[in-house]
Amino acid sequence: AETAGPWRRRSSGTWRGQEEMSIDPADELKRLRASIDNIDAAVVHMLAERFKATKAVGELKAANNLPPADKAREAEQIARLRKLANDAELDPDFAEKFLAFIVTEVIRHHEKLQGKG
Amino acid sequence: AETAGPWRRRSSGTWRGQEEMSIDPADELKRLRASIDNIDAAVVHMLAERFKATKAVGELKAANNLPPADKAREAEQIARLRKLANDAELDPDFAEKFLAFIVTEVIRHHEKLQGKG
């Protein structure tokens, strides 16, 4: 019932014995934005941790003369993320674009580190 | 000691009474990649949840004739994320680029919905 406010045009009636709830759109907007802000904070912290891991991978590869790129690994990552996205009802194309966006930044970091060394 | 493998060139010696640990680079790479995969799964699920929230915001705004864009809200989001990124040792410019990347997708979703309606 919490999400069945009057702005939900899809809800065509009320449940038996339940009155239509009137939710202030401004309150509802505030609630949704608070959730978005919480999610963004979680993602920023996840990404901070991810860049620590990719930095360690870069250092490990450099110290052991391993090639920076690994096409098989990348293909696996894409396939796995697309499947996860699909299961979570997220557009798999967006998940793939997102991974590409992150990987572009990882490459930028690695190039920066190599330039400094 | 777990992270003080021989590939860490920064580590110039061993702790008193502790022998230099020899970590197989392939094992270490596997471990780091498993962490990256866990983080990516977490982020994909967070983003799935985020798009549910922005979809609800779009519907709420449409039903209440609220303007789709809100420059004040966007400026607050950017400032907040930059601060969070800074505290988490993530590049604030990247955090801002990341938000812009997500918002572009949100706008694409909204336009798609409007086109269908």
Side-chain angles (χ1 to χ4, degrees), chain A residues 25 37 40 50 64 80 105, chain B residues 25 37 40 50 64 80:
Chain A
D37 286 348
D40 285 347
R50 195 190 194 282
N64 292 279
R80 182 174 168 274
E105 185 72 8
Chain B
D37 286 348
D40 285 347
R50 195 190 195 280
N64 292 279
R80 181 175 168 276

Side-chain angles (χ1 to χ4, degrees), chain A residues 38-94:
Chain A
N38 278 347
I39 292 168
D40 285 347
V43 172
V44 159
H45 286 90
M46 284 278 128
L47 293 180
E49 203 57 27
R50 195 190 194 282
F51 284 116
K52 282 192 208 172
T54 51
K55 191 181 174 205
V57 167
E59 289 171 351
L60 180 65
K61 285 180 170 177
N64 292 279
N65 297 314
L66 296 167
D70 185 337
K71 288 290 166 199
R73 158 78 177 158
E74 284 163 37
E76 275 169 21
Q77 279 177 293
I78 290 168
R80 182 174 168 274
L81 271 202
R82 288 188 69 96
K83 193 190 171 310
L84 284 173
N86 205 51
D87 293 348
E89 291 180 57
L90 181 72
D91 178 2
D93 290 342
F94 173 73

Side-chain angles (χ1 to χ4, degrees), chain B residues 24-73:
Chain B
D24 180 356
D27 286 347
E28 182 67 2
L29 185 61
K30 203 174 160 187
R31 192 187 67 78
L32 288 165
R33 283 177 168 177
S35 289
I36 291 166
D37 286 348
N38 279 346
I39 292 167
D40 285 347
V43 172
V44 159
H45 286 89
M46 284 278 127
L47 292 179
E49 203 56 29
R50 195 190 195 280
F51 284 115
K52 282 192 206 172
T54 52
K55 190 180 175 205
V57 167
E59 289 172 350
L60 180 65
K61 285 181 170 177
N64 292 279
N65 297 314
L66 296 167
D70 184 336
K71 288 290 166 199
R73 158 79 178 157

Side-chain angles (χ1 to χ4, degrees), chain B residues 18-115:
Chain B
Q18 189 200 30
E19 284 184 39
E20 186 79 36
M21 279 179 69
S22 177
I23 296 174
D24 180 356
D27 286 347
E28 182 67 2
L29 185 61
K30 203 174 160 187
R31 192 187 67 78
L32 288 165
R33 283 177 168 177
S35 289
I36 291 166
D37 286 348
N38 279 346
I39 292 167
D40 285 347
V43 172
V44 159
H45 286 89
M46 284 278 127
L47 292 179
E49 203 56 29
R50 195 190 195 280
F51 284 115
K52 282 192 206 172
T54 52
K55 190 180 175 205
V57 167
E59 289 172 350
L60 180 65
K61 285 181 170 177
N64 292 279
N65 297 314
L66 296 167
D70 184 336
K71 288 290 166 199
R73 158 79 178 157
E74 285 163 36
E76 275 169 21
Q77 279 178 293
I78 291 168
R80 181 175 168 276
L81 271 202
R82 289 188 68 96
K83 194 190 170 313
L84 284 173
N86 205 51
D87 292 348
E89 291 180 56
L90 181 72
D91 178 2
D93 288 343
F94 173 73
E96 185 171 344
K97 266 195 289 180
F98 171 74
L99 184 64
F101 175 78
I102 300 292
V103 168
T104 301
E105 184 71 10
V106 169
I107 291 167
R108 208 178 63 79
H109 284 200
H110 286 180
E111 284 171 351
K112 212 172 151 189
L113 282 175
Q114 283 165 0

